[in-house]
Amino acid sequence: MRIEIVQLENIRSHTKTTVPFSRGFNCLLGGVGCGKSSVLYSIDFALFGDPLGRSFEYLLREGAEKCKVTIQFTQNGNTYVLTRGLHRRGKSINQDFDSLKLFQDEKLIASLKTDAISEQLKSITGFDRDLWREIVWVRQEHLKELLDAAPRDRQRRLDELFGLSDYELAWSNIAQYVRDYETENRVLEKDPDVTSKDKLAADYNRITEEYTLLELELQDSEEKFAAARHFLDEADMRLKHFEEKRIAVEELKRKETRLHTNVINVEEAQAAVTDRLEGKKTILDNLRQRQSSMETQINTCLDRLTQVGVQPDQSPEVLRRCLMDFDEKISNLKGEQEATSRAMQTDQKRVSQLSTETENQCPLCLQTINSEYKSGMIQRINIENADRQRTIKQLQSEIAELQRAKAAASEALANLQNLTSRVEDLKARAAEEETNQQSLVTELSEKQKAYTELGEQLEAVRLEIGRFDLSELDEARQQREQAFREFYATESDLKTKNNRRKDLLLRLEDVRERIDQSQQKLERIQKIQKSVQVLGSIRDAYRSIQPKLRSEFVKVLRNFVQQVLDSLVGGESPMLNIVVDETYTPYVKSESGVHREVANLSGGERTLLAFAYRLGLGQLIMQSRTGHGLGMLLLDEPTENLGTEDGSIARLAEAISRFKAIEQIIAVTHSEDFAEKAGHVIVLEKEAGVSKASIAKGE
Amino acid sequence: MHAADLHLGYAQYGLEVRRQDFDNAFNELVDKTIELKPDFMIIAGDLFHQPRPSNVTLENAIKTFKRLRDAGIPVLTVDGSHDSAPNSITSTILYPLDSAGLIHHLPRHEGACWTKPGCCYVYGIPNYRTRRKTEEALLQFMQQNPPSPDQSLANVFVLHGSVDLPGMKPPYIEAELSPALLPDGFGYYAAGHVHERYANDFKRGVLAYSGSTETVSYDEARSTKGFYHVKVSEKGEFKYELVELTSPRRFVVLEQEYSGMNAHKITEQATRLVKDADEEGAIIIPVLKGILPAEASRTEIDVAHIRGAAEKALMVHPIVLLKESAVSDEVVRGIFEGEFKDLKTKAFEYFLQIFNERYSREEAEKVARAALALIEPLTHKQEEKVKQTLEELAK
């Protein structure tokens, strides 16, 4: 950290002063009350905003309502500007947070809150308030304060500054955690999960084993079950088969009955047919007889016809004509007879006429005839008539004969015709009957065939029925029953095992969980034990590190102080050998080896030693706290007890100017001799109660 | 038959499918074993991935072992780093399986061996996880169960652990078994633990690692999975032959160097790579290697995007091994340049010195760091932070 500019507004004797600083050794030079220290106060205020005493009364210019400090500093190549102000509120003076601002390279990075600013500052510069006030800023009259403090007090304060007291605090605070752990451990050790861990482990193994065995058994059972089911299925199938067979047999039996009925029916039908056949035969025989008798009649008729002169073997036409011939003949004959009879009658009439007296006329010729003649005529006529009578008689007999013949012939013919038709009928009937007979025969043979077939069928059915063994069905039933029992038994076994398996798995899960818990708790116990042990170690370490580190610090401190002192004392004066003890108390070791207390040194020597001690401490503490050395030092009147005459002031200034390790030193002094060695001198003067700053040396 | 590292029950990437994959590989292994009808089968450790496998895994294992038992093939086991007794509470899960007669767990039986008259002598040792414990306990174990190979028989030594040999890459930092620890007189050292197959002359026999049966870690994905079918000639020579498994899941490892690319470009390229390699049911592992440009962070890689690139694959599991650029030298120098060390450094050194007397180096460092970290919360009464630090320390 390097401060570039400090600007004070209404701070103590300053109304508005701008003080520039540069790298290296800066000196604020001025007489008493010129406002030199105010600059340092202002820097402290700007950085931390904390009053040195109880109030900010020491900062705010009398009569002013508000004041403000602006400082510009650089760190790691960045430029920071920090402003902080105060304002009066009634009787009290408070920070004016509105003016609290921190810029990094003109960018606002924090404002309004002191905490935020402090945090930023610490991270930027590594300083906090304590470090600043104890180490960086060496206030007037405070240079020798540490030296003069009681050893115990010094040790405490320095341990704190070094950060060593933290270890002590940590050591005492960590005890509680150890106790907590131990309590937790005791509780855990009594935890049933932990105490029964062996049992749990045994349980786990036992259950796992049981489960494994069960799983194996289960597989067997499953196989058995599958087999039982298979058997059952088979038995079912078999039973079903037999049942079907039984039903089939019943069907067969019904069929048998049916067939049997059919056979009887067929038998009966056969008998009926045979009867009918017999009937038909009789009928046929009758018909045949009738036919033959008719044929005899026909022959008789034919004979008669032949007798009457009709050729019977002629067509009916011819035969009818023959009959008509008869009629013709008869009618001819009748006509002849008629004619004859008429001639006779005529003749008789004539006779009668003739015989009658009067008439003597020829009837024929109407000529009168004589009696003789008449008589002769009468006679002849009579003879003729007698002839004619005979002829008529003959004709009559002929007619009668012919009529007889005709009657016979026509009768015969009629008979013949009748008979012929009847014979035809008979023949037709016979043929019909024969056909019937034939069909009956066929029917009969069919019936016979059917009978045979039915018989065979019946035989087959009976055989089939006979073949069916009821005991097989019973056996199948029993087998099925047995298979079912087996199936049921294996099924329930499987169910039981499955249930057990489920149960075991649950238990396994449970035990596993409990083991996990137990394991977790056990691990926790192990962890706690380890923690307690480690905590013990850490505690021991905390305990032992303080003296250990302190002795190291002391060693380095001595080295530091010696180096600084050597450079301060310069070549001419006798060397002061420094020894530092465990309370950080420095002694001067004379050449003879005697330790001299600091109090016994001369004022000048003490100032030099104090300065060296402060510087050494500062370096070391900064180093231990931040890892890097002191970069800045504010000194307020460090020349106390030093004189110009012996050159000790000049020597101190010279030495300070040589401290290149510290980037910036700002010293407040009234000694011009001191200021002469500085690279940058700002002179502060007071005019009319107002401080003014001017650069006397440097840029 | 010599198999090892079956890791049953390992649900890799939290996938149940993967757990089944391991079961499937085991089933295939047993199918093939039953076909080959060996005199016996060796499982050289890590049968299970966890010391107490889940019910499903256990059930499958029991069923599968029963098949071997029914086929008359004895199964000889030793415990592995994954399934050995997990702590003081339980024994290994292999004990109950042994009790149930499914396997013959060699270290559990007297003499830690199994013999088949006129055929072979098989000796097996338990797994002790670390080198230190192995060195302590193994000798004691072998004193109690002295290995006694019979030269008229085929002698097999079963172990789970990596033997400290050049050219062997142990799965963990160090090999647990120094060759000197293992006894002579065996013709075949059937080993498990190293997932990449290995077989070489060892002592007067052969040391063989049959490798894992499924991909436990992506870096072993390249090697085919399988087991050894070992035959012993009349003269007592061991001939081993790899039987490959076909069921293990396909892994596609896409290792790629991405140095010089920014996070966006890396994401894009890896996504494209995954898309091109997409394959039904496979597990795609894009491995992102290389150095990121200055001030780029690994967290800028859009892993979700890469994961979503595949459609057919079972899953995409990107592994980001990209290195972030080193902190600039100036900063490093700044830290160590100071002439004096700060208090914390000093305290740390001092703590380390104290704790080194009580703990191992690594542990001492851890405790020292914790002791230092505890100061702040302890002095400021930040109880939560103290507890947190203490819990972490006890891990």
Side-chain angles (χ1 to χ4, degrees):
Chain A
M1 178 184 180
R2 178 161 58 81
I3 296 172
E4 291 185 321
I5 296 163
V6 179
Q7 200 173 56
L8 300 82
E9 287 173 52
N10 289 335
I11 303 286
R12 289 156 73 114
S13 58
H14 299 267
T15 50
K16 181 151 187 175
T17 312
T18 303
V19 187
F21 293 103
S22 63
R23 193 187 291 274
F25 188 8
N26 295 266
C27 236
L28 288 164
L29 181 65
V32 176
C34 286
K36 307 186 294 288
S37 298
S38 306
V39 177
L40 301 187
Y41 285 124
S42 298
I43 293 171
D44 173 75
F45 168 70
L47 290 175
F48 305 107
D50 219 23
L52 284 169
R54 282 183 189 164
S55 84
F56 291 110
E57 198 73 51
Y58 69 98
L59 280 175
L60 189 60
R61 186 178 162 79
E62 242 172 85
E65 285 303 308
K66 39 181 12 185
C67 64
K68 196 165 104 181
V69 181
T70 305
I71 70 169
Q72 181 181 321
F73 63 93
T74 60
Q75 177 87 36
N76 291 338
N78 295 318
T79 301
Y80 299 88
V81 174
L82 175 60
T83 60
R84 201 189 285 267
L86 291 171
H87 53 193
R88 210 183 287 275
R89 286 277 177 270
K91 274 191 178 172
S92 63
I93 301 167
N94 298 313
Q95 266 204 63
D96 178 9
F97 290 109
D98 288 341
S99 59
L100 181 56
K101 278 168 188 147
L102 175 61
F103 297 88
Q104 176 181 357
D105 297 329
E106 291 172 16
K107 204 175 102 198
L108 186 68
I109 57 170
S111 64
L112 295 170
K113 281 182 180 159
T114 296
D115 284 350
I117 301 280
S118 308
E119 214 169 281
Q120 283 286 350
L121 269 181
K122 191 166 182 188
S123 76
I124 295 165
T125 64
F127 293 126
D128 60 18
R129 194 197 62 191
D130 291 347
L131 208 56
W132 180 266
R133 289 184 181 170
E134 291 281 357
I135 300 299
V136 177
W137 183 21
V138 184
R139 285 150 74 188
Q140 215 169 351
E141 308 294 325
H142 282 255
L143 185 61
K144 292 195 281 287
E145 189 193 46
L146 265 175
L147 277 186
D148 296 337
R152 278 270 145 227
D153 194 31
R154 185 188 306 115
Q155 191 186 42
R156 188 185 52 74
R157 278 174 64 189
L158 288 181
D159 275 354
E160 253 172 51
L161 279 176
F162 275 123
L164 286 180
S165 55
D166 282 353
Y167 291 94
E168 201 171 338
L169 190 60
W171 170 80
S172 103
N173 284 350
I174 207 167
Q176 182 56 46
Y177 295 96
V178 176
R179 280 196 294 279
D180 287 352
Y181 272 132
E182 278 167 349
T183 312
E184 194 185 347
N185 193 29
R186 271 197 299 282
V187 171
L188 276 177
E189 272 174 348
K190 280 179 196 150
D191 193 291
D193 275 353
V194 174
T195 49
S196 66
K197 66 182 162 79
D198 292 340
K199 196 182 153 289
L200 279 177
D203 276 359
Y204 178 74
N205 273 7
R206 190 175 47 70
I207 295 170
T208 312
E209 190 185 328
E210 205 177 320
Y211 168 65
T212 308
L213 291 172
L214 182 67
E215 188 69 48
L216 296 177
E217 277 177 35
L218 196 65
Q219 293 227 329
D220 286 343
S221 292
E222 264 165 14
E223 276 162 26
K224 270 189 200 154
F225 176 66
R229 185 151 60 191
H230 182 66
F231 283 138
L232 182 62
D233 285 349
E234 268 187 355
D236 271 342
M237 286 274 284
R238 193 135 175 257
L239 185 61
K240 202 175 155 198
H241 173 71
F242 280 116
E243 286 287 350
E244 272 168 9
K245 215 163 165 190
R246 188 180 59 79
I247 290 165
V249 166
E250 271 165 20
E251 181 62 29
L252 277 176
K253 277 186 178 157
R254 275 197 294 280
K255 196 172 165 191
E256 187 203 6
T257 319
R258 223 165 36 238
L259 276 175
H260 192 67
T261 321
N262 281 356
V263 166
I264 290 168
N265 284 347
V266 168
E267 244 169 16
E268 278 170 3
Q270 213 177 347
V273 169
T274 316
D275 283 354
R276 271 170 67 198
L277 207 57
E278 285 302 310
K280 289 284 178 215
K281 224 182 243 167
T282 320
I283 290 169
L284 207 57
D285 283 351
N286 272 347
L287 285 175
R288 289 229 174 89
Q289 272 172 15
R290 276 170 67 193
Q291 194 185 346
S292 65
S293 78
M294 271 184 203
E295 273 167 357
T296 319
Q297 281 178 29
I298 286 172
N299 284 341
T300 318
C301 284
L302 285 176
D303 284 351
R304 209 174 289 160
L305 279 177
T306 317
Q307 277 171 12
V308 291
V310 179
Q311 286 299 316
D313 47 350
Q314 279 176 12
S315 66
E317 232 16 65
V318 177
L319 287 176
R320 217 172 290 132
R321 216 174 298 141
C322 278
L323 279 184
M324 282 177 40
D325 280 352
F326 273 108
D327 281 343
E328 215 175 298
K329 273 177 190 166
I330 291 169
S331 66
N332 282 347
L333 284 176
K334 274 185 178 168
E336 210 176 318
Q337 190 192 7
E338 200 74 20
T340 311
S341 102
R342 248 185 334 239
M344 224 171 64
Q345 279 171 345
T346 319
D347 283 352
Q348 273 174 340
K349 261 178 200 167
R350 268 179 345 198
V351 161
S352 40
Q353 265 174 350
L354 281 164
S355 32
T356 36
E357 14 19 263
T358 61
E359 281 286 305
N360 289 350
Q361 232 178 347
C362 182
L364 293 170
C365 48
L366 299 161
Q367 286 171 0
T368 335
I369 54 176
N370 61 14
S371 27
E372 229 181 266
Y373 187 67
K374 208 183 153 180
S375 337
M377 232 190 207
I378 301 175
Q379 201 77 35
R380 222 191 27 226
I381 292 174
N382 284 340
I383 302 160
E384 262 181 36
N385 276 355
D387 275 350
R388 277 190 191 133
Q389 203 80 35
R390 273 189 313 271
T391 309
I392 286 170
K393 266 190 190 154
Q394 202 187 338
L395 278 171
Q396 270 174 342
S397 83
E398 266 179 34
I399 286 169
E401 204 169 313
L402 266 175
Q403 271 174 336
R404 257 194 328 274
K406 188 203 162 196
S410 78
E411 191 196 337
L413 203 58
N415 274 356
L416 192 63
Q417 272 173 347
N418 189 11
L419 279 171
T420 313
S421 69
R422 276 177 67 193
V423 166
E424 283 306 313
D425 275 359
L426 275 176
K427 269 184 184 161
R429 268 188 70 195
E432 196 186 321
E433 287 299 326
E434 255 172 24
T435 319
N436 281 349
Q437 195 185 24
Q438 204 57 44
S439 72
L440 275 176
V441 170
T442 317
E443 200 182 332
L444 185 63
S445 75
E446 268 169 13
K447 294 274 184 226
Q448 272 167 346
K449 211 170 135 198
Y451 179 73
T452 322
E453 270 175 14
L454 280 172
E456 275 168 7
Q457 277 179 22
L458 189 61
E459 204 53 46
V461 166
R462 279 184 179 150
L463 198 68
E464 191 75 21
I465 292 169
R467 211 182 288 153
F468 176 66
D469 193 354
L470 213 66
S471 70
E472 274 181 333
L473 181 65
D474 281 345
E475 199 187 328
R477 269 189 188 136
Q478 274 167 11
Q479 268 181 3
R480 199 249 163 210
E481 195 63 33
Q482 201 186 340
F484 181 71
R485 271 201 299 276
E486 184 74 13
F487 171 79
Y488 186 75
T490 50
E491 193 190 27
S492 69
D493 178 52
L494 196 64
K495 265 186 197 155
T496 318
K497 278 183 179 149
N498 266 325
N499 285 339
R500 252 184 76 207
R501 177 174 177 275
K502 240 183 252 168
D503 181 50
L504 271 180
L505 280 177
L506 282 177
R507 275 169 63 202
L508 199 58
E509 199 71 57
D510 182 50
V511 172
R512 198 186 283 131
E513 219 165 84
R514 282 187 62 200
I515 286 179
D516 281 347
Q517 275 173 14
S518 169
Q519 195 175 330
Q520 274 166 19
K521 282 176 183 162
L522 216 69
E523 275 164 13
R524 179 74 193 151
I525 288 177
Q526 284 170 357
K527 207 168 149 183
I528 287 172
Q529 284 170 352
K530 195 183 162 198
S531 290
V532 168
Q533 189 213 352
V534 169
L535 280 180
S537 309
I538 290 178
R539 219 172 159 234
D540 290 349
Y542 286 166
R543 184 97 173 132
S544 62
I545 197 172
Q546 214 179 358
K548 160 89 185 160
L549 283 178
R550 194 190 288 133
S551 71
E552 286 213 4
F553 283 140
V554 165
K555 220 166 83 192
V556 180
L557 180 61
R558 197 213 67 83
N559 196 283
F560 255 75
V561 173
Q562 187 68 66
Q563 279 175 25
V564 177
L565 197 60
D566 285 356
S567 66
L568 287 176
V569 172
E572 306 99 66
S573 306
M575 300 296 272
L576 287 169
N577 294 316
I578 301 297
V579 177
V580 180
D581 75 2
E582 290 300 294
T583 58
Y584 306 100
T585 311
Y587 298 93
V588 175
K589 195 177 171 187
S590 69
E591 279 156 12
S592 56
V594 179
H595 289 192
R596 268 197 299 157
E597 282 195 23
V598 173
N600 299 333
L601 292 173
S602 74
E605 279 175 335
R606 280 181 62 207
T607 302
L608 291 179
L609 180 60
F611 185 74
Y613 188 70
R614 259 323 265 274
L615 219 56
L617 262 183
Q619 283 288 24
L620 199 55
I621 288 171
M622 275 306 283
Q623 188 70 46
S624 75
R625 293 276 291 264
T626 65
H628 54 83
L630 195 60
M632 137 157 285
L633 197 63
L634 304 184
L635 297 167
D636 202 348
E637 298 289 1
T639 57
E640 195 186 5
N641 291 324
L642 296 179
T644 315
E645 300 78 23
D646 62 352
S648 58
I649 288 181
R651 216 163 34 242
L652 179 65
E654 174 86 38
I656 290 172
S657 72
R658 279 203 304 269
F659 276 127
K660 298 296 179 207
I662 299 174
E663 195 185 5
Q664 188 178 40
I665 297 174
I666 299 170
V668 167
T669 187
H670 60 272
S671 162
E672 290 189 14
D673 284 348
F674 186 81
E676 195 165 300
K677 302 288 176 190
H680 187 81
V681 180
I682 301 107
V683 176
L684 286 162
E685 287 160 318
K686 207 171 183 180
E687 282 173 26
V690 176
S691 295
K692 295 274 185 231
S694 57
I695 298 168
K697 192 176 172 188
E699 304 113 45
Chain B
M1 231 293 309
H2 164 206
D5 298 285
L6 287 93
H7 288 268
L8 301 181
Y10 182 30
Q12 198 179 32
Y13 312 126
L15 297 175
E16 167 64 15
V17 186
R18 287 294 292 147
R19 197 196 61 70
Q20 283 165 14
D21 283 348
F22 283 85
D23 275 358
N24 293 343
F26 182 36
N27 287 342
E28 194 198 341
L29 169 87
V30 167
D31 287 345
K32 295 209 154 132
T33 302
I34 290 173
E35 251 174 60
L36 291 170
K37 290 196 175 60
D39 287 316
F40 58 94
M41 171 183 186
I42 289 172
I43 296 177
D46 282 355
L47 169 64
F48 292 105
H49 190 71
Q50 295 103 343
R52 278 183 298 275
S54 72
N55 291 350
V56 196
T57 306
L58 194 58
E59 187 186 325
N60 181 57
I62 291 168
K63 281 187 177 155
T64 316
F65 276 132
K66 183 175 183 282
R67 284 166 55 210
L68 283 168
R69 195 186 69 172
D70 292 348
I73 300 168
V75 181
L76 314 180
T77 62
V78 296
D79 37 338
S81 48
H82 280 267
D83 54 9
S84 62
N87 49 35
S88 57
I89 305 176
T90 40
S91 61
T92 159
I93 175 68
L94 300 169
Y95 273 29
L97 292 183
D98 174 272
S99 301
L102 280 180
I103 58 174
H104 184 91
H105 187 60
L106 294 165
R108 193 191 191 194
H109 293 268
E110 206 186 324
C113 67
W114 179 85
T115 49
K116 187 169 178 183
C119 172
C120 54
Y121 168 79
V122 187
Y123 179 87
I125 57 168
N127 178 274
Y128 298 105
R129 285 160 194 256
T130 65
R131 186 175 190 131
R132 195 172 53 84
K133 272 193 202 155
T134 308
E135 275 164 6
E136 276 171 20
L138 186 56
L139 286 177
Q140 204 185 340
F141 178 82
M142 288 203 287
Q143 262 166 23
Q144 279 164 5
N145 303 284
S148 43
D150 179 343
Q151 292 316 313
S152 66
L153 302 173
N155 296 301
V156 179
F157 188 93
V158 189
L159 66 137
H160 183 92
S162 37
V163 179
D164 200 353
L165 289 173
M168 190 181 307
K169 196 179 81 189
Y172 299 115
I173 302 153
E174 57 174 2
E176 302 90 336
L177 291 156
S178 83
L181 268 177
L182 301 177
D184 278 341
F186 288 88
Y188 189 84
Y189 293 81
H193 193 47
V194 177
H195 288 185
E196 303 242 15
R197 225 175 1 266
Y198 171 97
N200 219 330
D201 291 350
F202 180 71
K203 293 185 187 265
R204 265 171 292 162
V206 175
L207 169 65
Y209 287 87
S210 61
S212 54
T213 55
E214 241 288 355
T215 306
V216 177
S217 159
Y218 81 90
D219 51 13
E220 64 189 59
R222 280 187 198 87
S223 54
T224 51
K225 304 291 164 198
F227 58 92
Y228 280 129
H229 184 215
V230 187
K231 289 176 188 160
V232 186
S233 71
E234 292 285 324
K235 289 177 199 160
E237 282 170 356
F238 282 82
K239 286 258 161 64
Y240 48 87
E241 185 187 327
L242 174 72
V243 182
E244 281 188 23
L245 295 173
T246 56
S247 63
R249 188 169 291 277
R250 173 128 171 76
F251 267 67
V252 182
V253 179
L254 306 167
E255 246 182 48
Q256 180 87 359
E257 166 77 33
Y258 293 95
S259 290
M261 283 183 222
N262 64 22
H264 179 70
K265 192 130 186 244
I266 294 173
T267 306
E268 217 171 64
Q269 273 214 4
T271 307
R272 197 164 45 238
L273 221 63
V274 168
K275 213 172 259 172
D276 291 345
D278 196 9
E279 188 179 325
E280 194 65 49
I283 290 177
I284 302 177
I285 313 268
V287 182
L288 280 54
K289 287 183 159 175
I291 297 167
L292 285 166
E295 279 166 46
S297 154
R298 268 193 294 271
T299 53
E300 288 166 35
I301 307 285
D302 190 349
V303 177
H305 193 258
I306 300 174
R307 252 190 217 118
E311 284 169 1
K312 292 182 279 181
L314 177 68
M315 90 170 309
V316 178
H317 187 77
I319 291 180
V320 182
L321 298 177
L322 292 161
K323 287 198 182 96
E324 295 182 5
S325 288
V327 186
S328 75
D329 285 352
E330 277 171 57
V331 179
V332 176
R333 228 181 293 131
I335 293 169
F336 294 105
E337 211 180 27
E339 196 180 338
F340 307 101
K341 286 159 182 161
D342 65 27
L343 183 69
K344 279 191 174 166
T345 317
K346 276 215 160 305
F348 180 74
E349 280 172 2
Y350 175 68
F351 286 153
L352 204 58
Q353 193 188 326
I354 292 178
F355 297 141
N356 260 329
E357 290 163 19
R358 298 193 197 180
Y359 307 105
S360 68
R361 226 184 91 76
E362 201 185 329
E363 191 85 341
E365 259 183 49
K366 206 169 117 187
V367 178
R369 219 171 286 126
L372 215 55
L374 277 170
I375 295 290
E376 166 91 9
L378 272 174
T379 51
H380 291 82
K381 301 251 173 200
Q382 296 164 342
E383 271 188 48
E384 280 309 307
K385 202 159 174 213
V386 173
K387 278 190 179 151
Q388 196 188 329
T389 314
L390 288 178
E391 293 298 316
E392 269 167 30
L393 184 61
K395 262 180 200 166

